[in-house]
Amino acid sequence: MKRIGNGLLVGLPLLTIAAFFCTHIFLAGVFGEWNLSSMLLVTPTDAVVPGFMFGFLALAAIGFPLLMAGVIGRRSPRKVWGVLSRVGLTSALLGCVVWYFQLNEGFERLPAALLAAICGSRLAWDAMISKRLPSWAKVAAVVLAFPWAVWVVDAGTVLAGHVAKGGMVRGLPILAGPDTPCSGRVLWLGERAIVIRCSVGSEEIRVMTPKEGLKFSTERELALASKHVAQ
């Protein structure tokens, strides 16, 4: 328990720095989709909530394939079944890799990347704990887990794309008023800036400075207001 506690004390600051760094990379990708600079518009306070969200999803993306890799292909006392399971996992891995490169869009590639990550992680784990394989073979087995990294990168890329399209504000409020550059959906509501996707014309991305007295409305509220005016 003492070793675990010391490990947490040493590792927690490093994990915090890594999470902060990954969050800013994620935000840079999202703001890049809007042709904006996250370094100019995002403050450290703004990054706290997206950091928790990104950290949770990153843990899920990393942990799920490893968990599934531990469930399938368990080592059996029978040597024949052990060989067959490795052959089956290798065949499945190669099939998923071929399937992956047959697809074009990132969202469609996710199932193939996930299955390849599961099979590759299991094969790599079996090789690492094997007492019969030489050291060079164990090092080479790490290559089998490469699809796992592809899965994590693909999952993060797809997530960034969806966030860039829908925004980070819950409920996608709509900002409208005489002091706003346009009426549209709020994609980002930060301490330093508000990013809006205009709802009229070419859906241009606009940035404005937060001000007191801003009024936000949801689509439901606007629909009810329009219905009331029409009546």
Side-chain angles (χ1 to χ4, degrees), residues 71-143:
V71 173
I72 68 171
R74 291 185 177 276
R75 300 179 65 86
S76 172
R78 298 181 180 180
K79 297 181 179 179
V80 176
W81 170 247
V83 174
L84 290 177
S85 64
R86 286 192 292 270
V87 171
L89 287 172
T90 304
S91 301
L93 173 60
L94 295 177
C96 290
V97 171
V98 173
W99 179 26
Y100 178 87
F101 285 106
Q102 293 296 320
L103 304 173
N104 295 324
E105 297 184 6
F107 185 77
E108 296 178 351
R109 286 184 169 187
L110 283 180
L114 175 59
L115 294 177
I118 293 172
C119 296
S121 300
R122 184 65 212 186
L123 287 170
W125 174 253
D126 285 345
M128 293 299 293
I129 65 176
S130 176
K131 298 181 180 179
R132 299 181 180 180
L133 291 178
S135 299
W136 65 267
K138 293 184 177 182
V139 174
V142 177
V143 179

Side-chain angles (χ1 to χ4, degrees), residues 49-63:
V49 174
F52 279 108
M53 178 192 71
F54 179 73
F56 175 79
L57 294 175
L59 287 176
I62 293 172

Side-chain angles (χ1 to χ4, degrees), residues 140-151:
V142 177
V143 179
L144 296 175
F146 178 74
W148 175 77
V150 175
W151 150 254

Side-chain angles (χ1 to χ4, degrees), residues 27-218:
L27 292 176
V30 172
F31 277 76
E33 292 289 330
W34 298 331
N35 293 322
L36 300 174
S37 173
S38 63
M39 298 294 294
L40 298 176
L41 301 178
V42 179
T43 65
T45 304
D46 293 337
V48 173
V49 174
F52 279 108
M53 178 192 71
F54 179 73
F56 175 79
L57 294 175
L59 287 176
I62 293 172
F64 183 71
L66 296 180
L67 177 64
M68 294 303 298
V71 173
I72 68 171
R74 291 185 177 276
R75 300 179 65 86
S76 172
R78 298 181 180 180
K79 297 181 179 179
V80 176
W81 170 247
V83 174
L84 290 177
S85 64
R86 286 192 292 270
V87 171
L89 287 172
T90 304
S91 301
L93 173 60
L94 295 177
C96 290
V97 171
V98 173
W99 179 26
Y100 178 87
F101 285 106
Q102 293 296 320
L103 304 173
N104 295 324
E105 297 184 6
F107 185 77
E108 296 178 351
R109 286 184 169 187
L110 283 180
L114 175 59
L115 294 177
I118 293 172
C119 296
S121 300
R122 184 65 212 186
L123 287 170
W125 174 253
D126 285 345
M128 293 299 293
I129 65 176
S130 176
K131 298 181 180 179
R132 299 181 180 180
L133 291 178
S135 299
W136 65 267
K138 293 184 177 182
V139 174
V142 177
V143 179
L144 296 175
F146 178 74
W148 175 77
V150 175
W151 150 254
V152 175
V153 172
D154 274 10
T157 302
V158 171
L159 172 64
H162 279 281
V163 171
K165 292 179 181 178
M168 294 188 181
V169 183
R170 182 179 178 86
L172 294 176
I174 296 176
L175 181 63
D179 296 330
T180 59
C182 67
S183 298
R185 296 179 182 273
V186 177
L187 302 177
W188 170 266
L189 180 58
E191 186 179 22
R192 185 178 297 168
I194 299 177
V195 179
I196 310 169
R197 174 176 281 121
C198 299
S199 57
V200 180
S202 60
E203 295 190 351
E204 182 182 0
I205 301 295
R206 304 292 294 270
V207 179
M208 67 172 293
T209 303
K211 302 177 181 178
E212 294 184 1
L214 291 177
K215 295 183 179 180
F216 299 93
S217 301
T218 63

